[in-house]
Amino acid sequence: MPSQAYTLLDIPGPRQTLVHVFPGVEELGRVYRPQLAINAAPTAFAAALEGLQPPNELRWASEAPVAHADFLAWTGKPTAVPGAVNLGEIVVQLREKLPADAVICNGAGNFSIWVHRYHRYQRYGTQLAPISGSMGYGVPAAIGMKRLAPERTVIAFAGGPATSS
């Protein structure tokens, strides 16, 4: 989850500048003390942002290429794994062969980490996945997407129940 078990941000006052946008006033500042709390629905907030002009100079502009290079290195080549099947290699091969508008669907589970690490989404709206913990989401999402856009390539990644012996 985004809070990384509540270790990413200090409670109650994060070291980072925190702007908290939420549609319910009861949630603002409940866990973290924001520098700025904004009570707004996501659509209203996004619409208000459309009118803002970006600053002429971004303080972190020189860091962006370095971060991007780190991301490309981390997602470029699959790590070695024991066994005959390396899902990272499979996802990299798919990444190189799939059309840019292909839709990747997955449910929750450890099996999805290879997709999230090694697939690079090229267009908006090419991933269908649950926000948190919905196992079994991938197959029905893929069926629904294929019915909606039969001309597009749709792939479902699905895992099975964990077993132990």
Side-chain angles (χ1 to χ4, degrees):
M1 300 306 267
S3 71
Q4 295 180 356
Y6 292 97
T7 60
L8 185 61
L9 304 173
D10 293 336
I11 298 173
R15 287 173 277 131
Q16 306 89 336
T17 300
L18 176 64
V19 176
H20 189 178
V21 180
F22 197 78
V25 71
E26 71 284 350
E27 185 65 25
L28 295 171
R30 188 173 67 83
V31 176
Y32 300 108
R33 189 177 326 120
Q35 254 79 14
L36 177 62
I38 301 173
N39 181 221
T43 51
F45 183 72
L49 288 177
E50 279 185 320
L52 294 178
Q53 292 299 314
N56 291 331
E57 192 172 314
L58 300 172
R59 290 181 297 140
W60 47 265
S62 64
E63 298 172 33
V66 174
H68 185 64
D70 286 347
F71 168 77
L72 292 176
W74 185 67
T75 62
K77 185 178 179 197
T79 55
V81 298
V85 177
N86 185 330
L87 289 175
E89 289 178 3
I90 292 169
V91 174
V92 167
Q93 288 295 315
L94 285 170
R95 176 180 80 199
E96 294 171 358
K97 294 179 179 5
L98 288 173
D101 70 339
V103 179
I104 303 293
C105 306
N106 65 270
N110 289 341
F111 67 90
S112 68
I113 62 174
W114 286 275
V115 177
H116 296 143
R117 178 170 176 179
Y118 295 112
H119 187 68
R120 297 177 185 158
Y121 296 94
Q122 299 178 51
R123 292 194 184 158
Y124 179 77
T126 56
Q127 179 188 34
L128 292 176
I131 292 173
S132 177
S134 182
M135 294 182 177
Y137 181 92
V139 171
I143 292 168
M145 186 66 212
K146 196 63 177 176
R147 292 205 54 194
L148 181 67
E151 73 286 358
R152 291 175 71 181
T153 301
V154 179
I155 300 199
F157 282 84
T163 59
S164 60
S165 49

